[in-house]
Amino acid sequence: MPEPVVTTRTNFIRQIIDEDLAAGRHARIATRFPPEPNGYLHIGHAKSIVLNFGLAQDYPGTCNLRFDDTNPHKENREFVEAIKADVRWLGYDWGERVYFASDYFEQLYGFAVELIEKGLAYVCDLSAEEIREYRGTLTVPGRDSPCRDRPVAENLALFRRMRAGEFPDGTRTLRARIDMASPNINLRDPVLYRIRHGVIHHQTGSEWCLYPTYDYTHPISDALEGITHSLCTLEFEDHRPLYDWCIDHVSVPCKPRQIEFSRLNLEYTVMSKRRLTQLVDEGHVQGWDDPRLPTIAGLRRRGYTPTAIRTFCDRIGVTKSDNLVEMAMLESAIRDDLDASAPRRMAVLRPLKVIIETLPADHSESLEAANHPKDATQGIRQIPFTREIYIDREDFAEDPPKGFKRLVPGGEVRLRYGYVIRCEAVVKDETGAVVALRASHDPATLGANPEGRKVKGVIHWVPAAEAPAAEVRLYDRLFQVSEPGSDGRDFREDIHPASLVVIDGARVEPALAGAQPGERFQFEREGYFVVDPDSSAERLCFNRTVGLRDSWGKAQGR
Ligand code: ATP
Ligand code: MG
C-alpha cells in the first residue's frame, strides 16, 4: 500500500467544521460519499472521496459509503461493485458503513405519511408536463395545483393506493406543499414520489412501484445516518432550502448541514456520466476502464497510482469557485510519484537493428545498470550486451536536422550504460528504406569518456536476440479541445482521432520478461509505462501512463 497523502491543507469546509467542533455542535464529524450506481467513478468523484474520507480520517470521524439508488432504471450491481472496488483502491475504508438509500425506502415512506398528516404533502394528479407548466419560471410565479388542498385523509388513501400499485406511471405524484410563489423554483411544491412500474431495483427487486426523488431522499438519508456535514457540489446550492425543509419537517434524529463546493472540471475530457456512458456504449472507447477515460478504472489501467490521484486532489484544493483544471496538473502528480518510485528500464518502441562489427558473433557481456538513479535501495540489473542490438529509429538520422545529438552516418553516440558506438554504414532495402546500421564500438569507453573527442548523445538500446517483443499502447488525450462540446458542438466531434496508437513490435530489455499486470516502469527517454492486464508471458503489453515531460502543447503547435 502506498503511503496516504496527509491532507493538511485547510479550506473553507475545514474552517466550518473547526467552528462547529469548537462551538460544541458535534463531538465527532460524520461525512458520507453518496454515488449513484449508474456508471463508474471518475476523477471528479475522487475529489469528493478524498474530501469526505479525508476529513473523516483527519479529524477524526466517520465516512459512510452510501449508494444513492433511487433511480433503478439506470442503476445496476455491476456499478455498485465497481464503485466499491474503486473507493477501496483509492485507499479508503468504509468498514461496516456501507448503506443504500433504498435501505430507507420504508422509513422514507413513513416520513412522507408524516408530511401528509401535517398538511405538508399532497397527492397531485397533474402530469409531468402540467407540473412543469404550473411551476412558472424565474420571473413568473407558479400556480397552485388543483389538488393542492386535497383533504389529508384523501391524500393518505391515495398515497397508500399509489404504493399498492393501483395507478399507472405518470398519473400521480406526491408533492411537498411548500410555496408555489417562492423565488426558489425548487420550493414550488417539488415532487417527492413518482410511480414506476415494472423496473427491477438492484436492491429491492420489485417490492416498490413508488420511488422517492433525490431531493427528498438525500437529506433524510443523511439525517438517518447522523451525518454532520453533507458535502455536495455547487449545483445543489439552490436545493439547500429544500434539503433543510425536508429535515425540519419530518421526525429525523439530527440536522445535518449541507455545504457546497465546486466540482472538478478537467481540460480535454468529459465527466458527466451521461457522456461517459455514451462513449462506452457507442464504442468510442473500449470500456469503462479504457485508459483514455477519466474514470478511476481507466486511470488505474493507464498506470495512475492512488497516491498520485490523492496528491492531485490535495493540490487542486476545495473552494467554491468554478474552474477548469489543466490536465498538466493531473499528469504532474503521476510523474512526481513515478519519478520517485518506478524502476528504470530500456524499451525500444521502433526497433532499428545495429550490428556492432567490432564484436564477435558470440559476444555477450553483462552490463550493470541501476534500477533507479536516485534510489540505490532499488538495486541493479544486468543487461546483456551483444553484437546485434536495437536502437530506436528516431535516434538515427541519415540527414539530421540541426542540433541532432543522436546517431548519424559516421557519427558517434553513447549507448546508455554501455559503450560509445560509431555508425559505419547504413543498410537499405531495395526501396531505399533503412533496415539496419553497421557500427563499431570503442572498447575504452565503458564508464569512461572517449579519448580526444566529445560524444554528446546518449541513447537507449536493447540486445537484439534477448529482448522480448512487446505491444506498446500510446495513449493521448481523448479529446483534441480543452472543453469538448463547447460552442454547441456535439462533444463526440471533438474526439481525438489518434488518441490511441498501438505499437506492435517494440522490444524491451530482458529484465522486463515476466513483468506482471500493474507493474510500473520508466522506459528511459520515453515515459512511464504500466503492464496492461492483457499482457501475458508470451506477449508483453504496456500502456503509456504519461510522457517524461509535458510536451503536449508543443506537439500540438501551441
Ligand atoms: P452526473 O451528474 O454526471 O450524473 P453526479 O455528480 O450526479 O454525476 P453522483 O454519483 O451523484 O454523480 O456523485 C457522487 C458524489 O460525487 C456527489 O456528492 C457529487 O457531488 C460528487 N461529484 C460528482 N462529480 C464531481 C466532480 N466533478 N467534482 C467533485 N465532486 C463530484
Ligand atoms: Mg448525482
Side-chain angles (χ1 to χ4, degrees), residues 275 278 484-485 488-494:
R275 286 175 166 188
Q278 268 180 303
R489 282 185 313 276
D490 184 318
F491 78 102
R492 291 165 294 188
E493 287 172 32
D494 293 328

Side-chain angles (χ1 to χ4, degrees), residues 409-539:
E412 284 185 307
V413 78
R414 177 176 292 282
L415 297 177
R416 182 91 167 115
Y417 307 114
Y419 298 89
V420 169
I421 60 167
R422 175 191 304 277
C423 174
E424 305 288 357
V426 181
V427 184
K428 295 182 179 175
D429 66 11
E430 59 280 7
T431 69
V434 176
V435 292
L437 305 176
R438 297 190 182 284
S440 60
H441 83 298
D442 179 345
T445 54
L446 187 62
N449 284 327
E451 283 291 320
R453 61 204 196 274
K454 276 217 167 81
V455 173
K456 284 208 187 114
V458 181
I459 65 172
H460 60 282
W461 58 280
V462 295
E466 294 173 63
E471 174 179 322
V472 176
R473 300 171 181 172
L474 301 178
Y475 294 100
D476 205 333
R477 300 176 179 189
L478 185 54
F479 293 93
Q480 44 197 347
V481 301
S482 81
E483 286 182 86
S486 52
D487 307 327
R489 282 185 313 276
D490 184 318
F491 78 102
R492 291 165 294 188
E493 287 172 32
D494 293 328
I495 292 177
H496 185 347
S499 58
L500 168 58
V501 173
V502 178
I503 292 184
D504 215 14
R507 304 294 291 260
V508 300
E509 65 167 272
L512 284 166
Q516 294 300 306
E519 280 192 74
R520 303 177 181 88
F521 301 94
Q522 183 195 98
F523 288 174
E524 295 201 32
R525 302 179 59 234
E526 291 290 355
Y528 295 97
F529 291 75
V530 65
V531 183
D532 189 80
D534 286 345
S535 197
S536 66
E538 294 73 50
R539 182 159 189 79

Side-chain angles (χ1 to χ4, degrees), residues 34 36 68 214 236 273:
E36 182 180 356
D68 160 26
Y214 174 85
F236 289 101
K273 274 192 263 184

